[in-house]
Amino acid sequence: MSDHRILLIENPASLSVDLGRLRIRRDGFDDNFVPPKDIAVLCLHHYTIQISVQALRVLADAGASVLVTDEFHHPCAWLLPQVGNGDLVRRLRQQMALDSSVAKGKLWQAIVQARLSTQAANLRVLNRRGALRLERLAKEVQPADKTKCEGQGAKHYWAYLFDEDFKREKEGAGDAINSRLNFGYAVLRSMVARSLVMAGLNPALGLGHSNMENPFNLADDFIEPYRFVVERHVALGPSGEFDGKARKEILRFVEQEIKLNGAGYRLPAAINESVASFVRVLDGRGEYLQLPQDALLQRNEEYPWE
C-alpha cells in the first residue's frame, strides 16, 4: 500500500491493466505504466476518461482509493478498498459500544484541541495575528466540546488566515482560494477514509460528526487535525486561476512532514498512525489518540515563493 503517491489524470485517457500494472493510454503519447501498489489516491478529473472494471479491481486490491470529480472540479464519487482487514464485525461492535460511552466525548475533545492547536501554529508560522486566542481556546475544550470551542475557533481563524475580504465557502465556491482549499480537503478526506477502511473501521460512525446522511462521519472527524496542512500549503502558494497547473501544485501538500508524538512522519503515515491509535483505544490497548498538535516540522525548502 503506497504511503504518498496521488495520481491526477485530467486529460482524455484510457486506463486498463497490463501484466498487473495500471496502463494509462493517451492519443499521441507513449503508454505509461504505474504499479497499483504505488498509488494512494487516483483522481479522475476529465469526463471522457475510460477505466476498466479490471483496473478498478486491481486498484482496490492494492488499497488505492479512486476519486471522481464533476465539471466544477468538485468530488462527486469515491471508490474505497474493502480488502486488507478481516476484523470488520468486531470493529463495528467496538465502534457501536464506543458510541454510547463517556470515552467518545473525550476523544472528540482531543480532536478539537488538536484542530485549534494546529490552527494557532499555522497563524504563527505564517506570521499572522490571532494565534493566542486559539491557543487559549484549545485549553478550554471540554469533553464532547460542550462549549463549542471548535466553532468559535473556526470563525476566529478564518478572519486572520487570509485577507480580510476572504469568506470561507465549502460548496460551489468559484474563487481561487476556496477552490484550492476544497480540492485539497477532498483529496485529504479520501486519504483519511482509505486509512479507516483499511483498518476495518466503519467511516459512518463518527465521534463529533453524526449526520445521518453522511457515510463518512468518522473521516470528517479525523480530517480535522490535518486540515492545517492544506491550509498552510494554500496560504504559501500561488493564488492565480485554479487551472490544471494549480491542481497539480496543490497535491504537493501530501509531501509535507508532520510532527506527531515528537517524531516526524510523512502525511499519509501520520494519518495511518492516528487511525492506529484509535484502533488501540477500541482494543483497550491505549487511552489517547496520536494527533498533530503543532505546525509542520519545518518550512519546506521546495517552496520557491517563500
Side-chain angles (χ1 to χ4, degrees):
M1 184 172 66
S2 173
D3 273 341
H4 63 273
R5 186 165 188 178
I6 298 176
L7 182 59
L8 172 66
I9 301 178
E10 53 181 2
N11 293 294
S14 175
L15 280 65
S16 59
V17 176
D18 180 87
L19 298 177
R21 303 167 300 172
L22 182 68
R23 180 173 64 186
I24 305 171
R25 175 167 291 175
R26 294 176 56 196
D27 291 342
F29 295 88
D30 292 336
D31 291 355
N32 287 323
F33 298 89
V34 183
K37 64 181 179 62
D38 288 349
I39 301 172
V41 180
L42 172 64
C43 184
L44 304 179
H45 197 72
H46 197 281
Y47 69 97
T48 66
I49 293 172
Q50 298 179 0
I51 184 168
S52 69
V53 172
Q54 184 185 12
L56 293 174
R57 285 178 176 175
V58 168
L59 288 165
D61 288 342
S65 63
V66 180
L67 180 66
V68 181
T69 61
D70 60 21
E71 66 270 26
F72 302 106
H73 317 302
H74 300 152
C76 62
W78 277 348
L79 172 71
L80 290 174
Q82 292 291 331
V83 299
N85 193 294
D87 211 12
L88 299 175
V89 175
R90 186 165 72 94
R91 291 281 176 248
L92 179 59
R93 288 174 176 168
Q94 289 175 328
Q95 287 182 259
M96 293 174 67
L98 177 67
D99 195 58
S100 58
S101 73
V102 176
K104 176 184 177 182
K106 293 182 179 179
L107 294 175
W108 180 239
Q109 176 188 24
I111 288 175
V112 173
Q113 288 174 326
R115 173 58 171 156
L116 292 167
S117 296
T118 52
Q119 287 175 328
N122 253 3
L123 294 183
R124 290 199 180 279
V125 169
L126 295 167
N127 296 316
R128 309 286 202 267
R129 294 184 297 113
L132 185 59
R133 169 63 175 155
L134 294 170
E135 291 165 348
R136 289 173 176 169
L137 273 176
K139 297 177 180 178
E140 297 171 3
V141 181
Q142 298 179 9
D145 191 23
K146 295 178 181 178
T147 54
K148 307 298 182 184
C149 289
E150 182 195 20
Q152 297 177 54
K155 183 177 180 180
H156 180 85
Y157 180 61
W158 292 117
Y160 287 95
L161 185 60
F162 296 107
D163 295 337
E164 58 183 17
D165 294 333
F166 174 76
K167 181 180 179 181
R168 176 73 185 111
E169 295 183 15
K170 297 181 179 180
E171 296 181 3
D175 65 285
I177 293 178
N178 275 303
S179 294
R180 283 171 166 79
L181 288 171
N182 292 338
F183 187 74
Y185 287 157
V187 174
L188 180 62
R189 190 177 187 232
S190 180
M191 295 170 65
V192 172
R194 168 181 175 262
S195 183
L196 292 171
V197 171
M198 295 300 291
L201 297 166
N202 187 317
L205 298 178
L207 299 171
H209 292 85
S210 57
N211 188 331
M212 297 295 288
E213 297 181 357
N214 181 8
F216 297 103
N217 284 311
L218 190 60
D220 290 337
D221 290 337
F222 276 95
I223 193 180
E224 293 296 343
Y226 287 98
R227 288 183 186 272
F228 81 101
V229 182
V230 175
E231 293 152 6
R232 182 183 181 218
H233 191 85
V234 172
L236 287 170
S239 58
E241 181 183 355
F242 189 54
D243 54 12
K245 181 179 180 181
R247 286 188 288 275
K248 291 180 180 178
E249 188 283 324
I250 195 64
L251 293 179
R252 289 179 54 207
F253 78 82
V254 77
E255 302 169 6
Q256 300 304 299
E257 193 172 41
I258 308 297
K259 187 176 181 180
L260 190 67
N261 195 28
Y265 291 80
R266 281 297 182 95
L267 175 61
I271 293 171
N272 289 341
E273 177 56 28
S274 292
V275 171
S277 70
F278 179 59
V279 170
R280 291 194 291 270
V281 171
L282 292 177
D283 284 338
R285 296 182 289 113
E287 298 181 17
Y288 307 103
L289 296 175
Q290 297 293 336
L291 302 170
Q293 293 291 339
D294 49 22
L296 305 171
L297 275 177
Q298 57 189 3
R299 298 174 74 89
N300 193 329
E301 296 178 356
E302 295 181 2
Y303 285 115
W305 50 85
E306 284 191 50

